[in-house]
PDB file of all heavy atoms in Angstrom:
ATOM      1  N   GLN C   1      -1.820  13.570   5.533  1.00  0.00           N
ATOM      2  CA  GLN C   1      -1.055  12.484   4.928  1.00  0.00           C
ATOM      3  C   GLN C   1      -0.881  11.325   5.903  1.00  0.00           C
ATOM      4  O   GLN C   1      -1.031  10.161   5.531  1.00  0.00           O
ATOM      5  CB  GLN C   1       0.311  12.993   4.464  1.00  0.00           C
ATOM      6  CG  GLN C   1       0.221  13.948   3.308  1.00  0.00           C
ATOM      7  CD  GLN C   1       1.539  14.631   2.999  1.00  0.00           C
ATOM      8  OE1 GLN C   1       2.379  14.828   3.871  1.00  0.00           O
ATOM      9  NE2 GLN C   1       1.725  15.008   1.746  1.00  0.00           N
ATOM     10  N   ARG C   2      -0.588  11.651   7.145  1.00  0.00           N
ATOM     11  CA  ARG C   2      -0.394  10.621   8.160  1.00  0.00           C
ATOM     12  C   ARG C   2      -1.689   9.851   8.427  1.00  0.00           C
ATOM     13  O   ARG C   2      -1.689   8.624   8.500  1.00  0.00           O
ATOM     14  CB  ARG C   2       0.129  11.254   9.454  1.00  0.00           C
ATOM     15  CG  ARG C   2       0.500  10.258  10.513  1.00  0.00           C
ATOM     16  CD  ARG C   2       1.087  10.919  11.751  1.00  0.00           C
ATOM     17  NE  ARG C   2       0.095  11.729  12.438  1.00  0.00           N
ATOM     18  CZ  ARG C   2       0.087  13.052  12.483  1.00  0.00           C
ATOM     19  NH1 ARG C   2       1.027  13.749  11.879  1.00  0.00           N
ATOM     20  NH2 ARG C   2      -0.841  13.704  13.140  1.00  0.00           N
ATOM     21  N   ARG C   3      -2.809  10.562   8.522  1.00  0.00           N
ATOM     22  CA  ARG C   3      -4.102   9.920   8.803  1.00  0.00           C
ATOM     23  C   ARG C   3      -4.550   9.029   7.657  1.00  0.00           C
ATOM     24  O   ARG C   3      -5.052   7.933   7.892  1.00  0.00           O
ATOM     25  CB  ARG C   3      -5.169  10.971   9.075  1.00  0.00           C
ATOM     26  CG  ARG C   3      -4.947  11.780  10.306  1.00  0.00           C
ATOM     27  CD  ARG C   3      -5.121  10.942  11.544  1.00  0.00           C
ATOM     28  NE  ARG C   3      -5.634  11.774  12.584  1.00  0.00           N
ATOM     29  CZ  ARG C   3      -6.422  11.389  13.546  1.00  0.00           C
ATOM     30  NH1 ARG C   3      -6.792  10.145  13.644  1.00  0.00           N
ATOM     31  NH2 ARG C   3      -6.842  12.223  14.441  1.00  0.00           N
ATOM     32  N   VAL C   4      -4.369   9.480   6.426  1.00  0.00           N
ATOM     33  CA  VAL C   4      -4.730   8.652   5.273  1.00  0.00           C
ATOM     34  C   VAL C   4      -3.824   7.427   5.227  1.00  0.00           C
ATOM     35  O   VAL C   4      -4.284   6.313   4.975  1.00  0.00           O
ATOM     36  CB  VAL C   4      -4.672   9.457   3.960  1.00  0.00           C
ATOM     37  CG1 VAL C   4      -4.829   8.547   2.749  1.00  0.00           C
ATOM     38  CG2 VAL C   4      -5.744  10.542   3.950  1.00  0.00           C
ATOM     39  N   GLY C   5      -2.553   7.617   5.507  1.00  0.00           N
ATOM     40  CA  GLY C   5      -1.621   6.497   5.554  1.00  0.00           C
ATOM     41  C   GLY C   5      -1.999   5.469   6.612  1.00  0.00           C
ATOM     42  O   GLY C   5      -1.915   4.259   6.379  1.00  0.00           O
ATOM     43  N   GLU C   6      -2.428   5.941   7.764  1.00  0.00           N
ATOM     44  CA  GLU C   6      -2.862   5.035   8.830  1.00  0.00           C
ATOM     45  C   GLU C   6      -4.102   4.255   8.419  1.00  0.00           C
ATOM     46  O   GLU C   6      -4.206   3.061   8.684  1.00  0.00           O
ATOM     47  CB  GLU C   6      -3.157   5.810  10.117  1.00  0.00           C
ATOM     48  CG  GLU C   6      -1.953   6.058  10.964  1.00  0.00           C
ATOM     49  CD  GLU C   6      -1.306   4.774  11.453  1.00  0.00           C
ATOM     50  OE1 GLU C   6      -2.005   3.868  11.963  1.00  0.00           O
ATOM     51  OE2 GLU C   6      -0.077   4.667  11.319  1.00  0.00           O
ATOM     52  N   LEU C   7      -5.038   4.929   7.774  1.00  0.00           N
ATOM     53  CA  LEU C   7      -6.248   4.248   7.316  1.00  0.00           C
ATOM     54  C   LEU C   7      -5.903   3.164   6.302  1.00  0.00           C
ATOM     55  O   LEU C   7      -6.399   2.041   6.394  1.00  0.00           O
ATOM     56  CB  LEU C   7      -7.233   5.260   6.707  1.00  0.00           C
ATOM     57  CG  LEU C   7      -8.549   4.692   6.191  1.00  0.00           C
ATOM     58  CD1 LEU C   7      -9.332   4.007   7.307  1.00  0.00           C
ATOM     59  CD2 LEU C   7      -9.382   5.814   5.566  1.00  0.00           C
ATOM     60  N   GLU C   8      -5.028   3.491   5.362  1.00  0.00           N
ATOM     61  CA  GLU C   8      -4.604   2.507   4.369  1.00  0.00           C
ATOM     62  C   GLU C   8      -3.904   1.326   5.043  1.00  0.00           C
ATOM     63  O   GLU C   8      -4.133   0.167   4.681  1.00  0.00           O
ATOM     64  CB  GLU C   8      -3.673   3.153   3.339  1.00  0.00           C
ATOM     65  CG  GLU C   8      -4.377   4.116   2.426  1.00  0.00           C
ATOM     66  CD  GLU C   8      -3.445   4.798   1.445  1.00  0.00           C
ATOM     67  OE1 GLU C   8      -2.277   5.089   1.812  1.00  0.00           O
ATOM     68  OE2 GLU C   8      -3.885   5.027   0.308  1.00  0.00           O
ATOM     69  N   LYS C   9      -3.087   1.620   6.031  1.00  0.00           N
ATOM     70  CA  LYS C   9      -2.365   0.571   6.749  1.00  0.00           C
ATOM     71  C   LYS C   9      -3.344  -0.350   7.477  1.00  0.00           C
ATOM     72  O   LYS C   9      -3.222  -1.574   7.408  1.00  0.00           O
ATOM     73  CB  LYS C   9      -1.402   1.215   7.751  1.00  0.00           C
ATOM     74  CG  LYS C   9      -0.584   0.257   8.549  1.00  0.00           C
ATOM     75  CD  LYS C   9       0.347   1.030   9.467  1.00  0.00           C
ATOM     76  CE  LYS C   9       0.934   0.155  10.529  1.00  0.00           C
ATOM     77  NZ  LYS C   9       1.717   0.942  11.496  1.00  0.00           N
ATOM     78  N   ARG C  10      -4.328   0.217   8.138  1.00  0.00           N
ATOM     79  CA  ARG C  10      -5.303  -0.585   8.875  1.00  0.00           C
ATOM     80  C   ARG C  10      -6.156  -1.437   7.944  1.00  0.00           C
ATOM     81  O   ARG C  10      -6.516  -2.559   8.279  1.00  0.00           O
ATOM     82  CB  ARG C  10      -6.198   0.306   9.721  1.00  0.00           C
ATOM     83  CG  ARG C  10      -5.498   0.923  10.900  1.00  0.00           C
ATOM     84  CD  ARG C  10      -6.445   1.781  11.713  1.00  0.00           C
ATOM     85  NE  ARG C  10      -5.751   2.642  12.627  1.00  0.00           N
ATOM     86  CZ  ARG C  10      -5.295   2.259  13.819  1.00  0.00           C
ATOM     87  NH1 ARG C  10      -5.459   1.016  14.207  1.00  0.00           N
ATOM     88  NH2 ARG C  10      -4.678   3.108  14.599  1.00  0.00           N
ATOM     89  N   LEU C  11      -6.471  -0.897   6.778  1.00  0.00           N
ATOM     90  CA  LEU C  11      -7.288  -1.630   5.821  1.00  0.00           C
ATOM     91  C   LEU C  11      -6.464  -2.602   4.972  1.00  0.00           C
ATOM     92  O   LEU C  11      -7.009  -3.510   4.359  1.00  0.00           O
ATOM     93  CB  LEU C  11      -8.029  -0.655   4.896  1.00  0.00           C
ATOM     94  CG  LEU C  11      -9.061   0.242   5.563  1.00  0.00           C
ATOM     95  CD1 LEU C  11      -9.615   1.238   4.561  1.00  0.00           C
ATOM     96  CD2 LEU C  11     -10.182  -0.579   6.178  1.00  0.00           C
ATOM     97  N   GLY C  12      -5.163  -2.354   4.909  1.00  0.00           N
ATOM     98  CA  GLY C  12      -4.298  -3.193   4.094  1.00  0.00           C
ATOM     99  C   GLY C  12      -4.491  -2.968   2.606  1.00  0.00           C
ATOM    100  O   GLY C  12      -4.185  -3.848   1.802  1.00  0.00           O
ATOM    101  N   GLN C  13      -4.981  -1.798   2.241  1.00  0.00           N
ATOM    102  CA  GLN C  13      -5.267  -1.459   0.844  1.00  0.00           C
ATOM    103  C   GLN C  13      -4.897  -0.011   0.578  1.00  0.00           C
ATOM    104  O   GLN C  13      -5.100   0.848   1.436  1.00  0.00           O
ATOM    105  CB  GLN C  13      -6.758  -1.622   0.544  1.00  0.00           C
ATOM    106  CG  GLN C  13      -7.297  -3.008   0.698  1.00  0.00           C
ATOM    107  CD  GLN C  13      -6.908  -3.895  -0.462  1.00  0.00           C
ATOM    108  OE1 GLN C  13      -6.716  -3.429  -1.582  1.00  0.00           O
ATOM    109  NE2 GLN C  13      -6.787  -5.177  -0.200  1.00  0.00           N
ATOM    110  N   ALA C  14      -4.414   0.271  -0.630  1.00  0.00           N
ATOM    111  CA  ALA C  14      -4.167   1.651  -1.043  1.00  0.00           C
ATOM    112  C   ALA C  14      -5.504   2.294  -1.408  1.00  0.00           C
ATOM    113  O   ALA C  14      -6.312   1.694  -2.115  1.00  0.00           O
ATOM    114  CB  ALA C  14      -3.226   1.693  -2.226  1.00  0.00           C
ATOM    115  N   LEU C  15      -5.755   3.466  -0.902  1.00  0.00           N
ATOM    116  CA  LEU C  15      -7.006   4.178  -1.175  1.00  0.00           C
ATOM    117  C   LEU C  15      -6.819   5.323  -2.154  1.00  0.00           C
ATOM    118  O   LEU C  15      -7.765   5.706  -2.835  1.00  0.00           O
ATOM    119  CB  LEU C  15      -7.604   4.714   0.130  1.00  0.00           C
ATOM    120  CG  LEU C  15      -7.923   3.669   1.189  1.00  0.00           C
ATOM    121  CD1 LEU C  15      -8.365   4.351   2.477  1.00  0.00           C
ATOM    122  CD2 LEU C  15      -8.982   2.714   0.686  1.00  0.00           C
ATOM    123  N   VAL C  16      -5.613   5.892  -2.189  1.00  0.00           N
ATOM    124  CA  VAL C  16      -5.325   7.021  -3.080  1.00  0.00           C
ATOM    125  C   VAL C  16      -3.981   6.801  -3.760  1.00  0.00           C
ATOM    126  O   VAL C  16      -3.119   6.089  -3.254  1.00  0.00           O
ATOM    127  CB  VAL C  16      -5.302   8.370  -2.325  1.00  0.00           C
ATOM    128  CG1 VAL C  16      -6.662   8.724  -1.774  1.00  0.00           C
ATOM    129  CG2 VAL C  16      -4.274   8.367  -1.214  1.00  0.00           C
ATOM    130  N   ARG C  17      -3.825   7.425  -4.910  1.00  0.00           N
ATOM    131  CA  ARG C  17      -2.563   7.447  -5.644  1.00  0.00           C
ATOM    132  C   ARG C  17      -2.242   8.891  -5.960  1.00  0.00           C
ATOM    133  O   ARG C  17      -3.116   9.660  -6.386  1.00  0.00           O
ATOM    134  CB  ARG C  17      -2.666   6.665  -6.956  1.00  0.00           C
ATOM    135  CG  ARG C  17      -2.859   5.207  -6.785  1.00  0.00           C
ATOM    136  CD  ARG C  17      -1.516   4.537  -6.490  1.00  0.00           C
ATOM    137  NE  ARG C  17      -1.712   3.102  -6.408  1.00  0.00           N
ATOM    138  CZ  ARG C  17      -1.361   2.380  -5.358  1.00  0.00           C
ATOM    139  NH1 ARG C  17      -0.804   2.932  -4.331  1.00  0.00           N
ATOM    140  NH2 ARG C  17      -1.579   1.094  -5.348  1.00  0.00           N
ATOM    141  N   ARG C  18      -0.989   9.257  -5.783  1.00  0.00           N
ATOM    142  CA  ARG C  18      -0.563  10.615  -6.078  1.00  0.00           C
ATOM    143  C   ARG C  18      -0.266  10.746  -7.565  1.00  0.00           C
ATOM    144  O   ARG C  18       0.400   9.901  -8.152  1.00  0.00           O
ATOM    145  CB  ARG C  18       0.676  10.980  -5.269  1.00  0.00           C
ATOM    146  CG  ARG C  18       1.064  12.412  -5.469  1.00  0.00           C
ATOM    147  CD  ARG C  18       2.245  12.775  -4.599  1.00  0.00           C
ATOM    148  NE  ARG C  18       2.679  14.092  -4.954  1.00  0.00           N
ATOM    149  CZ  ARG C  18       2.428  15.178  -4.237  1.00  0.00           C
ATOM    150  NH1 ARG C  18       1.768  15.071  -3.125  1.00  0.00           N
ATOM    151  NH2 ARG C  18       2.849  16.355  -4.638  1.00  0.00           N
ATOM    152  N   HIS C  19      -0.784  11.804  -8.168  1.00  0.00           N
ATOM    153  CA  HIS C  19      -0.530  12.128  -9.573  1.00  0.00           C
ATOM    154  C   HIS C  19      -0.040  13.564  -9.641  1.00  0.00           C
ATOM    155  O   HIS C  19      -0.151  14.312  -8.672  1.00  0.00           O
ATOM    156  CB  HIS C  19      -1.814  11.991 -10.392  1.00  0.00           C
ATOM    157  CG  HIS C  19      -2.271  10.578 -10.522  1.00  0.00           C
ATOM    158  ND1 HIS C  19      -1.860   9.754 -11.542  1.00  0.00           N
ATOM    159  CD2 HIS C  19      -3.091   9.829  -9.749  1.00  0.00           C
ATOM    160  CE1 HIS C  19      -2.398   8.571 -11.391  1.00  0.00           C
ATOM    161  NE2 HIS C  19      -3.154   8.583 -10.308  1.00  0.00           N
ATOM    162  N   ALA C  20       0.467  13.963 -10.776  1.00  0.00           N
ATOM    163  CA  ALA C  20       0.996  15.327 -10.942  1.00  0.00           C
ATOM    164  C   ALA C  20      -0.066  16.383 -10.661  1.00  0.00           C
ATOM    165  O   ALA C  20       0.245  17.480 -10.207  1.00  0.00           O
ATOM    166  CB  ALA C  20       1.558  15.493 -12.344  1.00  0.00           C
ATOM    167  N   THR C  21      -1.313  16.053 -10.902  1.00  0.00           N
ATOM    168  CA  THR C  21      -2.396  17.029 -10.713  1.00  0.00           C
ATOM    169  C   THR C  21      -3.114  16.874  -9.379  1.00  0.00           C
ATOM    170  O   THR C  21      -4.117  17.534  -9.151  1.00  0.00           O
ATOM    171  CB  THR C  21      -3.425  16.899 -11.848  1.00  0.00           C
ATOM    172  OG1 THR C  21      -3.933  15.558 -11.857  1.00  0.00           O
ATOM    173  CG2 THR C  21      -2.799  17.232 -13.190  1.00  0.00           C
ATOM    174  N   GLY C  22      -2.629  15.997  -8.518  1.00  0.00           N
ATOM    175  CA  GLY C  22      -3.262  15.806  -7.211  1.00  0.00           C
ATOM    176  C   GLY C  22      -3.433  14.332  -6.907  1.00  0.00           C
ATOM    177  O   GLY C  22      -2.756  13.487  -7.477  1.00  0.00           O
ATOM    178  N   TYR C  23      -4.348  14.022  -6.033  1.00  0.00           N
ATOM    179  CA  TYR C  23      -4.589  12.650  -5.631  1.00  0.00           C
ATOM    180  C   TYR C  23      -5.803  12.103  -6.368  1.00  0.00           C
ATOM    181  O   TYR C  23      -6.775  12.810  -6.588  1.00  0.00           O
ATOM    182  CB  TYR C  23      -4.843  12.563  -4.125  1.00  0.00           C
ATOM    183  CG  TYR C  23      -3.574  12.647  -3.318  1.00  0.00           C
ATOM    184  CD1 TYR C  23      -2.959  13.868  -3.064  1.00  0.00           C
ATOM    185  CD2 TYR C  23      -2.988  11.514  -2.793  1.00  0.00           C
ATOM    186  CE1 TYR C  23      -1.798  13.950  -2.320  1.00  0.00           C
ATOM    187  CE2 TYR C  23      -1.825  11.582  -2.050  1.00  0.00           C
ATOM    188  CZ  TYR C  23      -1.240  12.794  -1.811  1.00  0.00           C
ATOM    189  OH  TYR C  23      -0.087  12.870  -1.082  1.00  0.00           O
ATOM    190  N   ARG C  24      -5.721  10.817  -6.705  1.00  0.00           N
ATOM    191  CA  ARG C  24      -6.858  10.128  -7.327  1.00  0.00           C
ATOM    192  C   ARG C  24      -7.156   8.889  -6.514  1.00  0.00           C
ATOM    193  O   ARG C  24      -6.251   8.233  -5.996  1.00  0.00           O
ATOM    194  CB  ARG C  24      -6.519   9.739  -8.761  1.00  0.00           C
ATOM    195  CG  ARG C  24      -6.295  10.948  -9.620  1.00  0.00           C
ATOM    196  CD  ARG C  24      -6.591  10.668 -11.063  1.00  0.00           C
ATOM    197  NE  ARG C  24      -6.339  11.892 -11.823  1.00  0.00           N
ATOM    198  CZ  ARG C  24      -5.520  11.968 -12.829  1.00  0.00           C
ATOM    199  NH1 ARG C  24      -4.878  10.907 -13.249  1.00  0.00           N
ATOM    200  NH2 ARG C  24      -5.354  13.114 -13.467  1.00  0.00           N
TER     201      ARG C  24
END
């Protein structure tokens, strides 16, 4: 979670969204 968050922060874009069935 931390690594994906860091990647999103560096890119300035959301890469994944959490849903009830997992990530998309």
